[in-house]
């Protein structure tokens, strides 16, 4: 199988790791070249009261680079520099131009991003990047969309495969077996110290409000977050694997990640009608 190029367009430093870390590690292992573009500076992603926004942004850039090394993503992670938590204030067309520029620059075969059609997404940054990246991937091969890119040597490019992820996914049609990559996913997430501390503290706030007794979580030290993150990610990935098995042609797997995937604008469906089947990458 030929080497493919993959581009991940996300809002925050840890989005890729949470939503697709196992799949990305698996593709990197196949020799695919993976690039990541992060829209915001992630500067609200800490609970340290003494940290400035600039300090937090730099710490989180370093964490993103460390996590990308774990997964095998190209070390030159690109940051678009927008303010964390306010991405929807950026005009959609401006953000879409940035995403289209990245697609034309890196020429991916496969684009990963948040699903704009998934319900219940509370984070405006996820919603904003989802629409911008999805629209960019739909029109980046149209030469009269941002024709000024051509002056910089950026040519129209068609990214044929799209993998969308969501916290509450809709119309899942691809579950990737990440059983061999779950530890890499957890390692990559654990490179995000600021965010993982926050995740544990967030879980503890929810636990306290629930009145449930889970001493493992209640007594966890957020600074020693790994066991909690490991338990959380394994439980989630195992439930995804369980859902996949209930599908008509579901495979048995220990851990999974799930996506809504469209390949070649529906030509994949045509192919099946004419007896031509596309091979799966992962
Ligand atoms: Zn995020």
């Amino acid at each position: 199988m030929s080497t493919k190029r993959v581009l991940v367009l996300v809002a925050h430093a840890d989005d890729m790791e949470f939503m697709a870390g196992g799949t990305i590690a698996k593709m990197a292992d196949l020799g695919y070249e993976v690039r990541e573009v992060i829209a915001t500076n992630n500067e609200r992603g800490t609970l340290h009261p003494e940290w400035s926004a600039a300090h937090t942004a730099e710490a989180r850039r370093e964490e993103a680079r460390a996590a990308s090394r774990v997964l095998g993503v190209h070390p030159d992670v690109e940051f678009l520099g927008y303010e964390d938590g306010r991405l929807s204030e950026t005009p959609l067309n401006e953000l879409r131009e940035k995403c289209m520029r990245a697609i034309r620059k890196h020429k991916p075969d496969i684009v990963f991003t948040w699903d704009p059609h998934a319900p219940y997404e509370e984070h405006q940054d996820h919603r904003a990047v989802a629409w911008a990246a999805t629209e960019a991937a739909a029109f980046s091969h149209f030469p009269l969309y941002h024709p000024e890119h051509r002056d910089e040597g950026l040519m129209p490019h068609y990214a044929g495969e799209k993998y969308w992820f969501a916290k509450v996914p809709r119309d899942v049609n691809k579950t990737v077996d990440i059983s061999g990559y779950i530890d890499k996913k957890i390692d990559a997430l654990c490179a995000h110290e600021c965010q993982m501390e926050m995740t544990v503290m967030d879980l503890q706030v929810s636990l306290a409000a629930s009145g449930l007794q889970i001493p493992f979580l209640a007594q966890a030290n957020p600074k020693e977050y790994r066991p909690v993150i490991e338990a959380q990610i394994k439980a989630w990935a195992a439930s995804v694997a369980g859902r996949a098995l209930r599908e008509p042609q579901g495979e048995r797997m220990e851990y999974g990640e799930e996506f809504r995937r469209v390949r070649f604008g529906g030509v994949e469906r045509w192919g099946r009608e004419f007896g031509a089947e596309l091979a799966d990458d992962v």
Side-chain angles (χ1 to χ4, degrees):
M1 190 177 289
S2 64
T3 294
K4 290 190 174 179
R5 284 189 292 267
V6 179
L7 179 63
V8 186
L9 295 162
V10 285
H12 306 117
D14 58 332
D15 290 352
M16 172 180 71
E17 289 80 339
F18 257 122
M19 303 310 301
T23 303
I24 291 298
K26 198 168 185 177
M27 287 185 170
D29 234 14
L30 285 171
Y32 291 13
E33 183 188 294
V34 187
R35 297 267 183 170
E36 184 186 16
V37 174
I38 299 171
T40 75
N41 283 323
N42 307 285
E43 70 269 39
R44 298 202 203 287
T46 184
L47 293 169
H48 292 285
E50 70 279 12
W51 282 22
S52 69
H55 180 82
T56 306
E58 190 42 48
R60 301 217 53 206
R61 274 194 283 274
E62 263 320 301
E63 291 173 356
R65 293 185 192 107
S68 71
R69 282 194 292 274
V70 172
L71 296 181
V73 173
H74 195 283
D76 192 7
V77 179
E78 199 175 318
F79 300 90
L80 299 182
Y82 288 102
E83 191 175 335
D84 196 1
R86 297 181 68 168
L87 198 56
S88 65
E89 292 170 47
T90 305
L92 173 60
N93 283 349
E94 178 184 324
L95 196 54
R96 187 183 66 188
E97 186 273 329
K98 296 274 197 287
C99 293
M100 199 175 280
R101 174 181 291 276
I103 290 170
R104 289 174 173 175
K105 184 173 154 193
H106 298 301
K107 302 180 173 54
D109 302 284
I110 305 171
V111 169
F112 280 81
T113 193
W114 287 99
D115 192 346
H117 301 291
Y120 314 121
E121 176 52 70
E122 289 166 351
H123 207 310
Q124 60 158 284
D125 295 351
H126 298 165
R127 297 195 303 268
V129 83
W131 278 113
T134 298
E135 290 189 13
F139 298 106
S140 56
H141 59 301
F142 281 52
L144 294 180
Y145 275 73
H146 297 289
E148 72 276 13
H149 286 175
R150 194 181 279 266
D151 301 337
E152 302 166 44
L154 299 173
M155 303 310 279
H157 175 77
Y158 180 60
E161 301 181 56
K162 287 101 176 173
Y163 282 67
W164 286 281
F165 46 72
K167 287 182 256 175
V168 184
R170 176 171 281 182
D171 298 329
V172 167
N173 57 1
K174 175 65 184 168
T175 302
V176 178
D177 183 350
I178 62 158
S179 305
Y181 295 88
I182 191 79
D183 291 330
K184 267 199 179 175
K185 175 172 176 141
I186 293 162
D187 288 347
L189 278 165
C190 287
H192 292 279
E193 284 183 36
C194 300
Q195 195 62 39
M196 294 311 110
E197 280 176 35
M198 278 180 48
T199 300
V200 173
M201 292 167 93
D202 242 18
L203 286 168
Q204 289 174 329
V205 167
S206 299
L207 180 66
S210 75
L212 290 170
Q213 299 298 319
I214 307 177
F216 165 71
L217 180 56
Q219 290 156 18
N221 175 358
K223 291 212 166 303
E224 288 155 28
Y225 45 77
R226 185 168 179 117
V228 176
I229 300 301
E230 189 170 333
Q232 181 199 33
I233 295 299
K234 284 188 170 172
W236 176 20
S239 74
V240 169
R243 265 201 296 284
L245 188 58
R246 289 194 291 276
E247 292 301 312
Q249 272 129 26
E251 314 165 42
R252 184 172 295 280
M253 61 182 85
E254 194 176 4
Y255 299 116
E257 281 173 346
E258 56 191 352
F259 304 93
R260 180 170 72 84
R261 182 180 67 173
V262 171
R263 299 199 284 183
F264 311 104
V267 160
E268 181 178 20
R269 207 168 36 240
W270 266 52
R272 275 198 294 275
E273 278 176 36
F274 286 91
E277 197 77 40
L278 277 173
D280 259 314
D281 293 288
V282 285

